[in-house]
């Protein structure tokens, strides 16, 4: 009976460690937003035009919270003329609201990168 008890404890310990590792990896992978590679991004001029054409969407997104701002972001190394629409937010609830707004609308026509400030 002691051997069965040890096996059960071992199985439970492995399951708990596995679940903990999966939870940590899930949190880490969900905590950072990514964007396409620099080679795939539009030029800064194209991103600026897209933002100008979709100013109403940008204003609606900014209205979702005091800490939200929308602008043209340049995530690539200096010297590369690549850009995207960058939405900066301050909280998880703001991020979720921005995500819902983007899902409900047609977007900007160029990639959007969400950045927590």
């Amino acid at each position: 009976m002691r051997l069965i008890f040890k096996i059960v404890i071992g199985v439970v310990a492995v399951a708990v460690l596995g679940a903990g590792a999966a939870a940590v990896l899930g949190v880490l992978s969900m905590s950072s937003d990514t964007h396409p590679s620099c080679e795939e991004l539009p030029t800064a001029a194209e991103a600026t035009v897209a933002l100008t054409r979709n100013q109403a969407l940008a204003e609606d997104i900014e209205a979702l919270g005091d800490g939200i701002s929308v602008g043209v972001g340049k995530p690539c190394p200096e010297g590369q003329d690549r850009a995207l629409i960058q939405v900066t937010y301050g909280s998880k609830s703001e991020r979720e609201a921005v995500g819902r707004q983007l899902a409900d609308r047609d977007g900007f026509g160029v990639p959007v990168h969400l950045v927590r400030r």
Side-chain angles (χ1 to χ4, degrees):
M1 193 161 192
R2 287 182 175 223
L3 180 59
I4 292 174
F5 183 68
K6 289 179 182 180
I7 291 172
V8 169
I9 289 176
V11 169
V12 169
V14 169
V16 168
L17 287 174
V24 167
L25 290 175
V27 167
L28 291 178
S29 66
M30 292 176 62
S31 65
S32 63
D33 293 304
T34 60
H35 58 79
S37 68
C38 291
E39 295 78 31
E40 298 177 82
L41 292 177
T43 65
E46 292 169 327
T48 301
V49 168
L51 181 58
T52 301
R53 285 187 181 151
N54 295 285
Q55 193 60 43
L57 174 58
E59 290 170 1
D60 289 346
I61 290 172
E62 288 178 338
L64 294 171
D66 291 335
I68 300 175
S69 65
V70 180
V72 174
K74 295 184 177 184
C76 300
E78 196 171 320
Q80 290 188 8
D81 183 36
R82 299 296 179 173
L84 42 63
I85 304 301
Q86 182 170 301
V87 179
T88 305
Y89 64 94
S91 68
K92 181 180 176 184
S93 62
E94 286 180 343
R95 195 236 183 271
E96 291 169 349
V98 169
R100 284 191 301 273
Q101 184 74 261
L102 290 171
D104 291 344
R105 306 279 285 271
D106 290 333
F108 291 95
V110 298
V112 176
H113 187 208
L114 303 178
V115 178
R116 187 171 189 154
R117 57 175 161 85

